[in-house]
Amino acid sequence: MTQSPLALPRRRFLALGGVAAGAAVFAADPASATSTASTDRITLPGYAFTLGVASGDPTPDGVVLWTRLAPDPLAVDGLGGMPQRVVDVRWEIAEDERFRHIVRRGVHRATPEWAHSVHAEVHGLRPDRVYWYRFRVADQVSPVGRTRTAPRLGAPLHSFTFAYASCQAYTDGYFTAYEHLAREDLDLVVHLGDYIYEGGGTGTIGRAHLPATETFSLTDYRIRYAQYKLDPALQAAHAAAPWVVAPDDHDVENNWAGDHSQPDTEPDQDPAVFRLRRAAAYQAYYENLPLRASSMPHGPEMQVYRRLRFGDLLQLDVLDTRRFRDQQLTDQSLRWDPNRQMLGAKQEAWLLAGLGASTARWNVLGNQIFAMEADHTDGEPETFGMDTWDGYAAARQRLFDGVARRRVENFVIITGDAHRSVAADLKLDFSEPGSRTIGTEFLGTSISSGGNGTDTDKLGVTWLTENPHMKFHNSQRGYQVCHLGRREMYTDYRVLPFVDAPNAPVTTRARVHVRSGRPGVAHVSV
């Protein structure tokens, strides 16, 4: 096992260094002087950039830059202490962290309707290049963020490195994992859901949720996001690299499916009422994350699934496994019903068409809930979770059959949600250990959800015994780093010994290898 370096490299000081770089003089843009004159005279009740900065969804010529103005981020009205007026926010992006070589600048109009969030879509940048960015409102300057554009489509790449994470319950633990993730040398970060948790509760470590009750209204969700985003480790991780994000259940409500609320939750069992809640949750999600206008929600609808390409090495298909699924079963004998949907017909067709046409070396799905079969019981009878793909077995079979028919090379699924780590072969028929392997799944653990965790637990022992396609298991907290090359992909499972206190170290618990052209886990180094 290897120890993470504790020193933060200079080029990754970013949000951990506060606003140091942002305190430099912000170069004025003469072209925008008229439009920002009134904003320059605005008086704010405090520092506007308390929630940090972020970037996301990189393309070869650009990226989206995010911030949200919130001088009083936990204000009880959810508006962050901002006035009820449009505010012009200047942004600029440079080739160096001291902003001597500014290449693009502009103005984004932050509105009270969208909680004064900024989603500046930058174009005209060079492919596969590191940039630094910052914002200004009035006489205030934001922290500096670091981002990177995608390589040109089809450009030959020898390597690409990304991390993925999920499940960061504020009440369960500190976000120390993000301190370490911010120090990794990454091209991208993928977040697979449960960015917030919707419930109330105080936990046991002094990190009680705000508001103190479960979130239902837009105001509730805005305050909850502000509380999470005030965490300095989370801010550091956002400022270190571009992110690609997708929501899961707790970003709205635990175990929701389509227009169906969790059955034991009041008062939103009525689908019409639940859609109102989902609209509030989606809007707050968009307001607080670096998403493009194409993902801006319209009431209870939001475009989550999308495709990103990185040279000739990686096609990343981000899925939406909540909005279009059928309601969870209470009788697992019905899980093979061919009419049941996980992705919905339109998304499923989009995904298979894109995989069939892909020319990338590695085809990776960003997936919220695990796809591998997982028998939860020692011996007979077999039992399966109904919220995962196991509860939608026929839909999974359609997907896997489609992957096999299209001869999709180097098919990999990365997954969150389960608060544990597993590396597994994806089989055409999980009931037959000798069945054809079509790909590999890397299930990743949580940032903090579930508390400290252990190296193994009873469920982990059962899973490895009852599911021979599973090759590795761990139930500690942490994140995963995927290294893609021409001949192989390997994933480092990075784990922490505890999250109930700050300053935990990080180690690599295992390195799991997949060879190009040979689906499934090749070997595990521990």
Side-chain angles (χ1 to χ4, degrees), residues 367-372 374 376 388-390 415-416 418 441 443 463:
N367 170 59
Q368 289 77 32
I369 42 88
F370 62 77
M372 61 190 169
H376 285 56
T388 72
W389 283 84
D390 274 336
T415 305
E441 182 165 21
L443 170 62
W463 274 15

Side-chain angles (χ1 to χ4, degrees), residues 325-342:
R325 65 158 71 188
D326 288 311
Q327 194 168 12
Q328 291 92 338
L329 293 169
T330 56
D331 180 355
Q332 74 171 31
S333 69
L334 302 176
R335 68 195 191 100
W336 284 97
D337 180 347
N339 297 313
R340 285 177 55 72
Q341 295 281 347
M342 170 62 85

Side-chain angles (χ1 to χ4, degrees), residues 69-365:
L69 308 181
D72 183 9
L74 299 177
V76 294
D77 61 2
L79 298 178
M82 289 295 295
Q84 284 287 331
R85 55 170 286 191
V86 175
V87 176
D88 289 341
V89 182
R90 289 190 242 178
W91 58 265
E92 59 185 12
I93 189 164
E95 294 180 340
D96 64 300
E97 60 188 300
R98 294 185 180 276
F99 289 80
R100 293 191 180 102
H101 304 285
I102 296 170
V103 294
R104 289 289 184 274
R105 52 163 60 97
V107 176
H108 185 94
R109 306 205 80 193
T111 68
E113 291 79 10
W114 292 93
H116 290 97
S117 59
V118 174
H119 300 79
E121 298 188 23
V122 183
H123 301 282
L125 303 178
R126 298 180 184 181
D128 199 15
R129 189 177 181 101
V130 171
Y131 290 93
W132 285 262
Y133 61 94
R134 62 188 179 187
F135 302 87
R136 175 179 173 174
V137 62
D139 60 349
Q140 298 181 11
V141 183
S142 76
V144 173
R146 177 185 180 273
T147 192
R148 185 172 193 134
T149 52
R152 179 175 51 82
L153 182 61
L157 294 185
H158 293 288
S159 64
F160 189 88
T161 301
F162 69 89
Y164 68 98
S166 66
C167 303
Q168 51 205 49
Y170 188 87
T171 56
D172 285 3
Y174 289 85
F175 295 169
T176 312
Y178 280 131
E179 293 181 21
H180 297 289
L181 185 148
R183 299 181 177 109
E184 304 273 4
D185 188 12
L186 301 173
D187 298 306
L188 188 73
V189 176
V190 181
H191 196 281
L192 296 172
D194 296 348
Y195 192 94
I196 64 161
Y197 277 66
E198 82 288 7
T202 60
T204 60
I205 61 171
R207 284 165 66 90
H209 265 150
L210 294 174
T213 58
E214 186 163 344
T215 54
F216 288 95
S217 69
L218 179 57
T219 297
D220 293 341
Y221 283 106
R222 282 171 168 171
I223 294 170
R224 185 65 53 84
Y225 274 98
Q227 180 183 37
Y228 276 57
K229 296 191 76 69
L230 283 170
D231 188 283
L234 180 56
Q235 289 194 20
H238 270 299
W243 283 42
V244 172
V245 301
D248 193 20
D249 55 339
H250 287 288
D251 301 294
V252 180
E253 180 196 33
N254 185 41
N255 286 352
W256 68 277
D259 285 337
H260 299 283
S261 166
Q262 180 175 263
D264 62 354
T265 300
E266 293 287 354
D268 57 337
Q269 287 194 32
D270 181 345
V273 177
F274 176 68
R275 284 193 291 271
L276 293 175
R277 182 180 187 180
R278 191 174 71 227
Y282 274 176
Q283 177 166 343
Y285 187 86
Y286 178 81
E287 289 171 350
N288 285 281
L289 287 163
L291 289 158
R292 294 182 178 275
S294 56
S295 291
M296 178 182 286
H298 299 277
E301 306 302 330
M302 180 178 179
Q303 184 63 41
V304 171
Y305 68 87
R306 58 203 189 277
R307 178 168 294 126
L308 297 95
R309 300 180 178 92
F310 300 87
D312 69 345
L313 198 59
L314 170 62
Q315 177 172 298
L316 174 64
D317 288 325
V318 181
L319 302 186
D320 184 343
T321 59
R322 287 288 161 191
R323 174 63 191 93
F324 307 107
R325 65 158 71 188
D326 288 311
Q327 194 168 12
Q328 291 92 338
L329 293 169
T330 56
D331 180 355
Q332 74 171 31
S333 69
L334 302 176
R335 68 195 191 100
W336 284 97
D337 180 347
N339 297 313
R340 285 177 55 72
Q341 295 281 347
M342 170 62 85
L343 302 178
K346 182 178 179 181
Q347 182 181 187
E348 187 177 297
W350 165 85
L351 175 60
L352 286 172
L355 288 171
S358 175
T359 58
R361 177 63 59 101
W362 298 95
N363 293 285
V364 178
L365 305 191

Side-chain angles (χ1 to χ4, degrees), residues 19 22-26 36-49 87-88 90 135-142:
V19 298
V25 175
F26 197 105
T36 61
S38 60
T39 295
D40 286 343
R41 292 193 295 270
I42 192 172
T43 300
L44 298 174
Y47 183 58
F49 300 104
V87 176
D88 289 341
R90 289 190 242 178
F135 302 87
R136 175 179 173 174
V137 62
D139 60 349
Q140 298 181 11
V141 183
S142 76

Side-chain angles (χ1 to χ4, degrees), residues 427-440:
K427 312 292 284 188
L428 266 184
D429 183 354
F430 284 106
S431 68
E432 293 292 338
S435 174
R436 177 181 171 187
T437 298
I438 62 159
T440 312

